[in-house]
Amino acid sequence: FRWLKPPPPPPPLGVHGLPVHRYIDIDETGFFLKILSANYGRGHCTCTVQCTSHCRRNESKINAILAVEAGNPNIPPHMDGSLNRPRKWLRLTVENVDQFIFGGFINEVLDNIERFPVQGDYDMNRVIIWDNLRAYKTPYVTTIIGDRPSPNNFSSVDRP
């Protein structure tokens, strides 16, 4: 019955052979509050709304950039960086996310990894995975990652 089993999917492009705990996944989102009204002493209910014109640059919104690591199974559960306590980084801004805001966030994440490393040299080789936002791929951002004077090796790949 081996021939009935479908083959496993190929690994993501650019990360073959690298343990999952080496990845730092970065993503961004923006949201804004359109209308809020209270009727009869009650507050609002939150629900997901998809606007047809998602690029609303003239309306104020909050942008969130989030970086999350998967957690390392080799680290004890009570310590930061373990499966139970993976490290997370967040930046909220009301400005549009451009290369300078994103580069500053990347710099904060990498500085935090260098200043507060997990035990066992598990931070020596870290790979940042991101999607296709244009601000991610500018020379300014890639220089912050690749040309960093650090004992750690940082690199980045696009999420497939």
Side-chain angles (χ1 to χ4, degrees), residues 1-11:
F1 292 111
R2 187 188 289 186
W3 54 274
L4 292 176
K5 184 178 177 184

Side-chain angles (χ1 to χ4, degrees), residues 99 135-145 147:
Q99 65 178 340
Y136 293 173
K137 301 174 185 180
T138 63
Y140 177 75
V141 174
T142 56
T143 301
I144 289 174
I145 298 168
D147 294 343

Side-chain angles (χ1 to χ4, degrees), residues 40-101:
Y40 308 108
R42 287 180 256 145
H44 73 285
C45 291
T46 304
C47 61
T48 303
V49 177
Q50 185 174 6
C51 297
T52 55
S53 59
H54 64 281
C55 294
R56 298 179 174 266
R57 296 191 184 271
N58 58 348
E59 296 183 29
S60 56
K61 64 178 179 176
I62 296 176
N63 293 305
I65 310 172
L66 178 66
V68 180
E69 66 179 6
N72 192 331
N74 301 317
I75 298 174
H78 66 281
M79 299 187 72
D80 288 341
S82 66
L83 287 174
N84 292 347
R85 295 179 60 179
R87 292 180 289 185
K88 302 170 218 61
W89 299 269
L90 173 69
R91 177 181 276 188
L92 298 174
T93 180
V94 293
E95 300 172 10
N96 285 329
V97 177
D98 61 4
Q99 65 178 340
F100 302 110
I101 291 175

